[in-house]
Short mmCIF file of all heavy atoms in Angstrom, two decimals:
data_model
loop_
_atom_site.label_atom_id
_atom_site.label_comp_id
_atom_site.label_asym_id
_atom_site.label_seq_id
_atom_site.Cartn_x
_atom_site.Cartn_y
_atom_site.Cartn_z
N GLU A 136 8.05 2.97 -16.95
CA GLU A 136 9.17 3.46 -17.74
C GLU A 136 10.23 2.37 -17.89
O GLU A 136 10.61 1.71 -16.93
CB GLU A 136 9.79 4.68 -17.07
CG GLU A 136 8.79 5.79 -16.79
CD GLU A 136 7.93 6.16 -17.97
OE1 GLU A 136 8.48 6.62 -18.99
OE2 GLU A 136 6.71 5.98 -17.90
N ALA A 137 10.74 2.21 -19.10
CA ALA A 137 11.79 1.22 -19.37
C ALA A 137 13.04 1.57 -18.57
O ALA A 137 13.38 2.75 -18.41
CB ALA A 137 12.12 1.19 -20.86
N GLY A 138 13.72 0.57 -18.06
CA GLY A 138 14.98 0.77 -17.35
C GLY A 138 14.85 1.31 -15.94
O GLY A 138 15.85 1.61 -15.30
N ARG A 139 13.64 1.40 -15.43
CA ARG A 139 13.44 1.98 -14.09
C ARG A 139 13.97 1.05 -13.00
O ARG A 139 14.05 -0.16 -13.20
CB ARG A 139 11.97 2.28 -13.86
CG ARG A 139 11.11 1.04 -13.70
CD ARG A 139 9.62 1.36 -13.71
NE ARG A 139 8.84 0.19 -13.45
CZ ARG A 139 8.54 -0.75 -14.34
NH1 ARG A 139 8.97 -0.63 -15.58
NH2 ARG A 139 7.82 -1.79 -14.01
N GLN A 140 14.28 1.62 -11.85
CA GLN A 140 14.69 0.84 -10.68
C GLN A 140 13.58 0.77 -9.64
O GLN A 140 13.72 0.09 -8.64
CB GLN A 140 15.93 1.46 -10.05
CG GLN A 140 17.15 1.36 -10.94
CD GLN A 140 18.36 2.00 -10.29
OE1 GLN A 140 18.26 2.80 -9.37
NE2 GLN A 140 19.53 1.65 -10.78
N LEU A 141 12.49 1.51 -9.88
CA LEU A 141 11.37 1.57 -8.93
C LEU A 141 10.10 1.06 -9.57
O LEU A 141 9.95 1.10 -10.79
CB LEU A 141 11.12 3.01 -8.48
CG LEU A 141 12.19 3.70 -7.67
CD1 LEU A 141 11.81 5.15 -7.43
CD2 LEU A 141 12.40 2.98 -6.35
N ASP A 142 9.17 0.63 -8.73
CA ASP A 142 7.79 0.40 -9.13
C ASP A 142 6.93 1.36 -8.32
O ASP A 142 7.25 1.65 -7.16
CB ASP A 142 7.35 -1.04 -8.86
CG ASP A 142 7.72 -1.99 -9.98
OD1 ASP A 142 7.82 -1.54 -11.14
OD2 ASP A 142 7.90 -3.18 -9.70
N ALA A 143 5.87 1.84 -8.94
CA ALA A 143 4.93 2.72 -8.26
C ALA A 143 3.54 2.43 -8.79
O ALA A 143 3.38 2.13 -9.98
CB ALA A 143 5.29 4.18 -8.48
N ASN A 144 2.55 2.50 -7.91
CA ASN A 144 1.16 2.24 -8.28
C ASN A 144 0.26 3.23 -7.56
O ASN A 144 0.44 3.46 -6.36
CB ASN A 144 0.74 0.82 -7.85
CG ASN A 144 1.57 -0.25 -8.49
OD1 ASN A 144 1.43 -0.53 -9.66
ND2 ASN A 144 2.47 -0.84 -7.73
N LEU A 145 -0.70 3.77 -8.28
CA LEU A 145 -1.76 4.57 -7.68
C LEU A 145 -2.98 3.67 -7.60
O LEU A 145 -3.44 3.15 -8.63
CB LEU A 145 -2.05 5.81 -8.53
CG LEU A 145 -3.18 6.71 -8.05
CD1 LEU A 145 -2.89 7.28 -6.66
CD2 LEU A 145 -3.43 7.83 -9.06
N VAL A 146 -3.48 3.46 -6.39
CA VAL A 146 -4.55 2.49 -6.14
C VAL A 146 -5.70 3.18 -5.44
O VAL A 146 -5.48 4.03 -4.57
CB VAL A 146 -4.03 1.33 -5.25
CG1 VAL A 146 -5.13 0.34 -4.92
CG2 VAL A 146 -2.85 0.64 -5.92
N ARG A 147 -6.93 2.83 -5.82
CA ARG A 147 -8.09 3.33 -5.09
C ARG A 147 -8.87 2.15 -4.53
O ARG A 147 -9.20 1.21 -5.25
CB ARG A 147 -9.02 4.15 -5.97
CG ARG A 147 -10.18 4.69 -5.11
CD ARG A 147 -11.28 5.43 -5.83
NE ARG A 147 -10.83 6.59 -6.54
CZ ARG A 147 -10.95 6.75 -7.86
NH1 ARG A 147 -11.51 5.83 -8.59
NH2 ARG A 147 -10.53 7.85 -8.43
N LEU A 148 -9.14 2.22 -3.22
CA LEU A 148 -10.04 1.27 -2.57
C LEU A 148 -11.42 1.91 -2.50
O LEU A 148 -11.54 3.11 -2.22
CB LEU A 148 -9.57 0.96 -1.15
CG LEU A 148 -8.26 0.21 -0.99
CD1 LEU A 148 -7.94 0.03 0.49
CD2 LEU A 148 -8.31 -1.13 -1.69
N PRO A 149 -12.47 1.14 -2.72
CA PRO A 149 -13.82 1.70 -2.60
C PRO A 149 -14.14 2.00 -1.14
O PRO A 149 -13.41 1.57 -0.24
CB PRO A 149 -14.71 0.56 -3.14
CG PRO A 149 -13.94 -0.68 -2.84
CD PRO A 149 -12.48 -0.30 -3.00
N PRO A 150 -15.22 2.73 -0.89
CA PRO A 150 -15.60 2.98 0.50
C PRO A 150 -15.63 1.69 1.31
O PRO A 150 -16.23 0.69 0.89
CB PRO A 150 -17.01 3.60 0.37
CG PRO A 150 -16.97 4.27 -0.97
CD PRO A 150 -16.14 3.35 -1.84
N GLU A 151 -14.92 1.71 2.42
CA GLU A 151 -14.80 0.59 3.35
C GLU A 151 -14.19 -0.66 2.71
O GLU A 151 -14.30 -1.76 3.24
CB GLU A 151 -16.13 0.32 4.05
CG GLU A 151 -16.57 1.55 4.84
CD GLU A 151 -17.88 1.41 5.56
OE1 GLU A 151 -18.46 0.30 5.59
OE2 GLU A 151 -18.34 2.43 6.11
N GLY A 152 -13.53 -0.48 1.56
CA GLY A 152 -12.81 -1.58 0.92
C GLY A 152 -11.58 -1.94 1.72
O GLY A 152 -11.12 -1.18 2.58
N ARG A 153 -11.03 -3.11 1.44
CA ARG A 153 -9.96 -3.63 2.30
C ARG A 153 -8.89 -4.34 1.49
O ARG A 153 -9.18 -5.03 0.52
CB ARG A 153 -10.58 -4.59 3.31
CG ARG A 153 -9.65 -5.16 4.32
CD ARG A 153 -10.44 -5.86 5.42
NE ARG A 153 -9.59 -6.64 6.28
CZ ARG A 153 -8.89 -6.15 7.30
NH1 ARG A 153 -8.94 -4.87 7.58
NH2 ARG A 153 -8.13 -6.95 8.03
N VAL A 154 -7.65 -4.18 1.92
CA VAL A 154 -6.53 -5.01 1.49
C VAL A 154 -6.27 -5.92 2.68
O VAL A 154 -5.92 -5.44 3.77
CB VAL A 154 -5.28 -4.17 1.15
CG1 VAL A 154 -4.09 -5.08 0.86
CG2 VAL A 154 -5.55 -3.23 -0.01
N GLU A 155 -6.48 -7.20 2.49
CA GLU A 155 -6.37 -8.15 3.59
C GLU A 155 -4.96 -8.18 4.18
O GLU A 155 -3.99 -7.81 3.53
CB GLU A 155 -6.76 -9.56 3.13
CG GLU A 155 -8.23 -9.69 2.75
CD GLU A 155 -9.19 -9.39 3.88
OE1 GLU A 155 -8.88 -9.70 5.06
OE2 GLU A 155 -10.28 -8.85 3.61
N GLU A 156 -4.87 -8.66 5.40
CA GLU A 156 -3.58 -8.75 6.09
C GLU A 156 -2.59 -9.57 5.28
O GLU A 156 -2.93 -10.62 4.73
CB GLU A 156 -3.78 -9.39 7.46
CG GLU A 156 -2.50 -9.39 8.28
CD GLU A 156 -2.74 -9.94 9.66
OE1 GLU A 156 -3.14 -9.15 10.54
OE2 GLU A 156 -2.52 -11.16 9.85
N HIS A 157 -1.38 -9.04 5.18
CA HIS A 157 -0.32 -9.72 4.44
C HIS A 157 1.03 -9.25 4.93
O HIS A 157 1.13 -8.26 5.67
CB HIS A 157 -0.47 -9.49 2.93
CG HIS A 157 -0.28 -8.06 2.54
ND1 HIS A 157 -1.24 -7.09 2.76
CD2 HIS A 157 0.75 -7.43 1.94
CE1 HIS A 157 -0.80 -5.93 2.32
NE2 HIS A 157 0.41 -6.09 1.82
N VAL A 158 2.07 -9.93 4.51
CA VAL A 158 3.45 -9.57 4.81
C VAL A 158 4.20 -9.49 3.50
O VAL A 158 4.09 -10.39 2.66
CB VAL A 158 4.13 -10.64 5.72
CG1 VAL A 158 5.61 -10.35 5.89
CG2 VAL A 158 3.44 -10.71 7.06
N GLU A 159 4.93 -8.41 3.29
CA GLU A 159 5.83 -8.30 2.14
C GLU A 159 7.21 -8.70 2.64
O GLU A 159 7.83 -7.94 3.39
CB GLU A 159 5.83 -6.87 1.60
CG GLU A 159 6.93 -6.57 0.61
CD GLU A 159 7.07 -7.59 -0.50
OE1 GLU A 159 6.14 -7.73 -1.30
OE2 GLU A 159 8.12 -8.26 -0.56
N PRO A 160 7.70 -9.87 2.26
CA PRO A 160 8.94 -10.37 2.84
C PRO A 160 10.22 -9.72 2.30
O PRO A 160 11.24 -9.75 2.96
CB PRO A 160 8.92 -11.86 2.51
CG PRO A 160 8.11 -11.94 1.26
CD PRO A 160 7.07 -10.86 1.37
N ASP A 161 10.16 -9.13 1.10
CA ASP A 161 11.39 -8.71 0.44
C ASP A 161 11.60 -7.21 0.29
O ASP A 161 12.74 -6.77 0.16
CB ASP A 161 11.46 -9.32 -0.97
CG ASP A 161 11.41 -10.83 -0.93
OD1 ASP A 161 12.05 -11.43 -0.04
OD2 ASP A 161 10.70 -11.42 -1.77
N LEU A 162 10.53 -6.43 0.26
CA LEU A 162 10.66 -5.01 -0.10
C LEU A 162 10.05 -4.08 0.93
O LEU A 162 8.95 -4.33 1.42
CB LEU A 162 9.95 -4.75 -1.44
CG LEU A 162 10.45 -5.54 -2.64
CD1 LEU A 162 9.52 -5.31 -3.82
CD2 LEU A 162 11.87 -5.15 -2.98
N ASP A 163 10.75 -2.99 1.23
CA ASP A 163 10.15 -1.88 1.95
C ASP A 163 9.20 -1.18 0.98
O ASP A 163 9.47 -1.10 -0.22
CB ASP A 163 11.21 -0.85 2.37
CG ASP A 163 12.12 -1.34 3.48
OD1 ASP A 163 11.92 -2.45 3.99
OD2 ASP A 163 13.05 -0.59 3.81
N VAL A 164 8.08 -0.67 1.49
CA VAL A 164 7.10 0.03 0.67
C VAL A 164 6.81 1.38 1.32
O VAL A 164 6.61 1.45 2.53
CB VAL A 164 5.79 -0.77 0.53
CG1 VAL A 164 4.74 0.00 -0.25
CG2 VAL A 164 6.06 -2.12 -0.13
N LEU A 165 6.79 2.42 0.51
CA LEU A 165 6.38 3.74 0.95
C LEU A 165 4.98 3.98 0.42
O LEU A 165 4.73 3.77 -0.78
CB LEU A 165 7.34 4.80 0.41
CG LEU A 165 7.21 6.19 1.00
CD1 LEU A 165 7.64 6.17 2.48
CD2 LEU A 165 8.06 7.16 0.22
N LEU A 166 4.05 4.36 1.29
CA LEU A 166 2.66 4.59 0.91
C LEU A 166 2.33 6.05 1.19
O LEU A 166 2.55 6.53 2.30
CB LEU A 166 1.75 3.66 1.71
CG LEU A 166 0.26 3.69 1.40
CD1 LEU A 166 -0.35 2.31 1.64
CD2 LEU A 166 -0.47 4.72 2.22
N TYR A 167 1.81 6.75 0.18
CA TYR A 167 1.40 8.16 0.30
C TYR A 167 -0.10 8.24 0.05
O TYR A 167 -0.59 7.78 -0.99
CB TYR A 167 2.15 9.02 -0.71
CG TYR A 167 1.64 10.43 -0.78
CD1 TYR A 167 1.93 11.33 0.25
CD2 TYR A 167 0.86 10.87 -1.83
CE1 TYR A 167 1.44 12.63 0.20
CE2 TYR A 167 0.38 12.17 -1.89
CZ TYR A 167 0.67 13.04 -0.86
OH TYR A 167 0.19 14.32 -0.90
N VAL A 168 -0.85 8.80 1.01
CA VAL A 168 -2.29 8.93 0.87
C VAL A 168 -2.60 10.15 0.00
O VAL A 168 -2.33 11.29 0.38
CB VAL A 168 -2.99 9.06 2.24
CG1 VAL A 168 -4.50 9.21 2.06
CG2 VAL A 168 -2.68 7.85 3.11
N VAL A 169 -3.15 9.88 -1.18
CA VAL A 169 -3.48 10.94 -2.14
C VAL A 169 -4.81 11.58 -1.81
O VAL A 169 -4.95 12.80 -1.84
CB VAL A 169 -3.48 10.37 -3.58
CG1 VAL A 169 -3.93 11.41 -4.59
CG2 VAL A 169 -2.10 9.81 -3.94
N SER A 170 -5.81 10.76 -1.50
CA SER A 170 -7.13 11.30 -1.15
C SER A 170 -7.89 10.28 -0.31
O SER A 170 -7.57 9.10 -0.30
CB SER A 170 -7.93 11.65 -2.41
OG SER A 170 -8.21 10.50 -3.16
N GLY A 171 -8.88 10.79 0.41
CA GLY A 171 -9.70 9.93 1.26
C GLY A 171 -9.03 9.66 2.60
O GLY A 171 -8.10 10.36 3.00
N ASP A 172 -9.52 8.64 3.25
CA ASP A 172 -8.96 8.27 4.55
C ASP A 172 -9.19 6.79 4.79
O ASP A 172 -9.86 6.11 4.02
CB ASP A 172 -9.56 9.11 5.68
CG ASP A 172 -11.05 8.85 5.88
OD1 ASP A 172 -11.68 8.19 5.03
OD2 ASP A 172 -11.60 9.31 6.89
N GLY A 173 -8.60 6.31 5.87
CA GLY A 173 -8.75 4.91 6.23
C GLY A 173 -7.88 4.58 7.42
O GLY A 173 -7.45 5.48 8.15
N VAL A 174 -7.61 3.30 7.58
CA VAL A 174 -6.74 2.86 8.67
C VAL A 174 -5.81 1.77 8.16
O VAL A 174 -6.12 1.06 7.21
CB VAL A 174 -7.55 2.31 9.88
CG1 VAL A 174 -8.38 3.41 10.53
CG2 VAL A 174 -8.41 1.14 9.49
N VAL A 175 -4.67 1.69 8.82
CA VAL A 175 -3.75 0.58 8.60
C VAL A 175 -3.67 -0.16 9.93
O VAL A 175 -3.53 0.45 10.99
CB VAL A 175 -2.35 1.05 8.12
CG1 VAL A 175 -1.68 1.99 9.12
CG2 VAL A 175 -1.45 -0.14 7.82
N ASP A 176 -3.81 -1.46 9.86
CA ASP A 176 -3.66 -2.30 11.05
C ASP A 176 -2.32 -3.01 10.95
O ASP A 176 -2.00 -3.60 9.92
CB ASP A 176 -4.79 -3.34 11.14
CG ASP A 176 -6.10 -2.70 11.54
OD1 ASP A 176 -6.16 -2.10 12.62
OD2 ASP A 176 -7.07 -2.80 10.75
N THR A 177 -1.54 -2.91 12.03
CA THR A 177 -0.23 -3.55 12.09
C THR A 177 -0.13 -4.33 13.39
O THR A 177 -1.04 -4.29 14.23
CB THR A 177 0.92 -2.51 12.04
OG1 THR A 177 0.93 -1.79 13.27
CG2 THR A 177 0.76 -1.56 10.87
N GLU A 178 0.98 -5.00 13.58
CA GLU A 178 1.20 -5.73 14.84
C GLU A 178 1.23 -4.78 16.04
O GLU A 178 1.00 -5.19 17.17
CB GLU A 178 2.49 -6.52 14.74
CG GLU A 178 2.40 -7.64 13.72
CD GLU A 178 3.74 -8.20 13.33
OE1 GLU A 178 4.75 -7.47 13.35
OE2 GLU A 178 3.78 -9.40 13.00
N GLN A 179 1.51 -3.49 15.79
CA GLN A 179 1.55 -2.51 16.87
C GLN A 179 0.21 -1.83 17.10
O GLN A 179 0.10 -0.95 17.95
CB GLN A 179 2.61 -1.43 16.59
CG GLN A 179 4.04 -1.93 16.73
CD GLN A 179 4.45 -2.84 15.59
OE1 GLN A 179 4.10 -2.62 14.44
NE2 GLN A 179 5.19 -3.90 15.91
N GLY A 180 -0.82 -2.19 16.32
CA GLY A 180 -2.13 -1.59 16.51
C GLY A 180 -2.63 -0.90 15.26
O GLY A 180 -2.09 -1.07 14.17
#
């Protein structure tokens, strides 16, 4: 939407697909699980 202050994306990973380890240095991100399951690995486990 024009003039928005937010970005939002709906993303699907395939079975056992992966988003490699990374750091977002500038933005907080809120992630909502719409369907399926998986794991998030962080420095805390």
